[in-house]
């Protein structure tokens, strides 16, 4: 079964409207799809309706931005109740600093001679409240500063490079608690992407498990095949279920919907007891 439990619409930093995203997933053969926009639930209703039309089993999801020991990490919530008031209010507070952060990023880019990036990023953001580094990367590509988004994140927008602004996101304990309060399951997103040494990474996994985290992403767009193996092993060792998600943001931007390898058969899939 083709299950894709991580992707983004233009409600956050994806390129496609929620309904178009769902139709694309259907055409790629995805049978079970979760929409997991950053810190935002607004796309779920449209996506759910489109999934009903397209015959795709739909999972209400979200990807929450967290600051853990000074590092940004992402926690995906799956099967959340999208009308849960506490989750909605909490995400509103997580989102609220983005415009201010974008102004700080733009000021930093000005110090290396890149002008107009606040307005430029905003032109790419469907929803100004959700302006993200992805929108800055698209601006830097569009104005010819860099050839592609990957270079934008290599030379700018990351810690130590121009255009990075520190920001305090949610606490890990809060993010997991909101997801669980809304009836959902917490999944640590793309654990291979964090710049943590192996002991800090294992401390993160242990803390996440202690808080009630259920799964980690093993097969995801930003992991290498070597990382599929590494995180499959960590899922086994820590007793986590495993998840699979493309982290699709748009056509020709990273992995395609439903396109990645399947999980190893011995792993406990996070969707195993969902009845699909
Ligand atoms: P933000 O939440 O504004 O900090 O933006 C984070 C987003 O930037 C992620 O969700 C990805 O979509 C994107 N991103 C981060 N690092 C990279 C990278 N190395 N290459 C491409 N996109 C990235
Ligand atoms: Mn993103
Ligand atoms: Mn992420
Ligand atoms: Mn994502």
């Amino acid at each position: 079964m083709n299950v894709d439990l991580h992707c983004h619409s233009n409600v956050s930093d994806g390129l496609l409207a929620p309904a178009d995203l769902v139709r694309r997933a259907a055409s790629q053969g995805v049978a079970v799809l979760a929409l997991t926009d950053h810190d935002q639930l607004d796309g779920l209703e449209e996506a759910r309706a489109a999934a009903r039309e397209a015959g795709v089993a739909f999972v209400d999801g979200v990807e929450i931005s967290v600051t853990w020991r000074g590092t940004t990490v992402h926690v995906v919530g799956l099967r959340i109740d999208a009308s849960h008031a506490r989750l909605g209010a909490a995400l509103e507070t997580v989102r609220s600093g983005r415009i201010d952060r974008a102004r700080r990023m733009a000021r930093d880019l000005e110090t290396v001679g890149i002008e107009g990036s606040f307005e430029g990023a905003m032109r790419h953001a469907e929803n100004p409240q959700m302006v993200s580094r992805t929108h800055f990367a698209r601006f830097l590509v569009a104005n010819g500063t860099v050839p592609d988004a990957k270079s934008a994140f290599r030379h700018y927008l990351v810690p130590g490079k121009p255009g990075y602004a520190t920001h305090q996101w949610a606490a890990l304990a809060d993010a997991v608690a909101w997801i669980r309060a809304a009836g959902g399951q917490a999944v640590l997103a793309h654990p291979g992407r964090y710049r943590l040494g192996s002991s800090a990474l294992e401390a993160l996994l242990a803390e996440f498990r202690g808080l009630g985290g259920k799964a980690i992403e093993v097969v995801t767009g930003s992991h290498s095949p070597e990382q599929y193996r590494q995180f499959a092993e960590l899922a086994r060792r820590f007793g986590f279920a495993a998840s699979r998600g493309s982290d699709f943001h748009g056509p020709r931007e990273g992995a395609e919907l439903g396109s990645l390898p399947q999980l190893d058969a011995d792993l406990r899939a996070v969707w195993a007891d969902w009845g699909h």
Side-chain angles (χ1 to χ4, degrees):
M1 191 169 57
N2 194 338
V3 180
D4 191 332
L5 300 179
H6 188 151
C7 66
H8 298 273
S9 76
N10 64 5
V11 158
S12 64
D13 60 349
L15 289 171
L16 304 182
D20 293 330
L21 179 83
V22 169
R23 286 191 279 269
R24 186 180 183 93
S27 74
Q28 297 292 330
V30 174
V32 182
L33 179 75
L35 174 62
T36 56
D37 276 311
H38 298 286
D39 310 315
Q40 177 59 274
L41 307 174
D42 282 0
L44 294 173
E45 193 175 322
E46 177 183 321
R48 206 182 302 123
R52 214 174 296 123
E53 292 275 308
V56 171
F58 185 73
V59 175
D60 287 305
V62 65
E63 181 175 21
I64 303 182
S65 310
V66 162
T67 303
W68 184 80
R69 297 190 183 175
T71 295
T72 300
V73 308
H74 287 170
V75 178
V76 164
L78 298 175
R79 301 187 104 198
I80 48 162
D81 170 2
S83 65
H84 196 267
R86 180 171 164 216
L87 176 63
L91 294 177
E92 173 79 45
T93 68
V94 179
R95 291 194 293 272
S96 66
R98 278 189 178 268
I99 292 179
D100 171 68
R101 181 185 69 145
R103 290 194 194 284
R104 289 185 284 126
M105 290 167 62
R107 274 199 295 275
D108 199 46
L109 287 170
E110 279 172 18
T111 68
V112 294
I114 297 170
E115 306 287 334
S117 66
F118 178 80
E119 295 74 18
M122 281 297 186
R123 276 198 296 278
H124 290 271
E126 195 77 19
N127 173 1
Q129 258 217 330
M130 286 307 301
V131 63
S132 85
R133 287 186 291 155
T134 311
H135 301 116
F136 278 83
R138 290 183 188 136
F139 162 75
L140 292 171
V141 174
N143 81 354
T145 304
V146 288
D148 52 40
K150 210 175 147 174
S151 324
F153 281 98
R154 187 175 315 125
H155 302 295
Y156 303 94
L157 310 177
V158 291
K161 301 288 181 181
Y164 185 76
T166 56
H167 191 70
Q168 193 67 31
W169 302 108
L172 180 66
D174 289 340
V176 175
W178 300 331
I179 290 166
R180 299 182 72 204
Q185 296 167 0
V187 181
L188 186 67
H190 42 65
R193 217 165 84 187
Y194 308 131
R195 294 206 268 180
L196 298 171
S198 64
S199 70
L201 176 66
E202 295 199 12
L204 171 62
L205 293 175
E207 186 174 328
F208 181 64
R209 183 178 59 187
L211 293 167
K214 170 156 189 201
I216 64 173
E217 288 184 343
V218 170
V219 173
T220 172
S222 53
H223 281 181
S224 63
E226 172 55 33
Q227 288 174 319
Y228 301 160
R229 287 186 284 276
Q230 179 192 353
F231 289 99
E233 200 44 48
L234 284 167
R236 293 180 188 104
R237 180 137 69 81
F238 280 82
F240 284 119
S243 191
R244 172 184 191 254
S246 59
D247 207 356
F248 175 85
H249 282 71
R252 296 172 302 283
E253 281 206 5
E256 182 53 77
L257 290 158
S259 67
L260 297 175
Q262 297 288 349
L263 296 175
D264 288 351
D266 72 293
L267 291 171
R268 183 161 50 90
V270 66
W271 62 87
D273 55 4
W274 292 355
H276 293 300

